[in-house]
Amino acid sequence: AGRAPPAARAMAGAVLWIAVHLASATAVAQPRLADDLPLLLTADAIDYDEALGQVTARGNVEIVQADRILLADTISYNQKTKVVTASGNISLLEPSGEVFFADYVELSDNLADGIAENLRLLLTDQSRFAAVGARRSGGTVTEMRKAVFSPCKLCEDDPTAAPLWQIRAARVTHDKTAQEIEYRDAVLEFFGVPVAYTPYFSHPDPTGRVLVR
């Protein structure tokens, strides 16, 4: 039989590269976390640009990297920069059970670190964060800007209604290792009405200590 056409060889090369090489790629922020970890990628379509070293998956994309699962409409991986970008209906399930939702993300190739736009974070105790932008480093520290935190459940009849209470701040830092949440320029609100301001405030991570609801 004759040789496969270039397009077929390129696609085969992309699938082989994803299955074998990405699993042992070196992460940008924490190289040791990505070493020798298996990866599974599924999508409706996968394109590979050999010149740019770019793998792009579209339609119902799912990446499983160790204990993390990334879902999105479109996901790209650049072999040269070792950066994963995703857009459209993004959700990232953490090994701890937390779930990140965002409109756009750029992540290290172990999916542990990166930046996000229009982030929503659901903790394991159903507490919630929302932020205009966020950056995660070390796989454990998430820094958010123009963020809101609340441990209260959303109203079933109107999920957009303000919760019983929430803390709104210019900057919020969630440190999972220290189990602490810190706020800068924070405002405490009840039913959406501001009642108190403080330049700095912190409290334990509610997943490690139960807050009054």
Side-chain angles (χ1 to χ4, degrees), residues 18-19 22-23 37-42 61-71 75 91-93 109-111:
I18 292 169
L22 184 54
L37 296 181
L39 178 144
L40 173 65
L41 183 149
T42 60
V61 188
E62 177 178 336
I63 289 181
V64 180
Q65 173 74 304
D67 293 328
R68 289 187 170 91
I69 301 175
L70 176 63
L71 305 176
I75 294 177
S91 62
L92 174 62
L93 176 61
D109 59 358
N110 61 1
L111 308 182

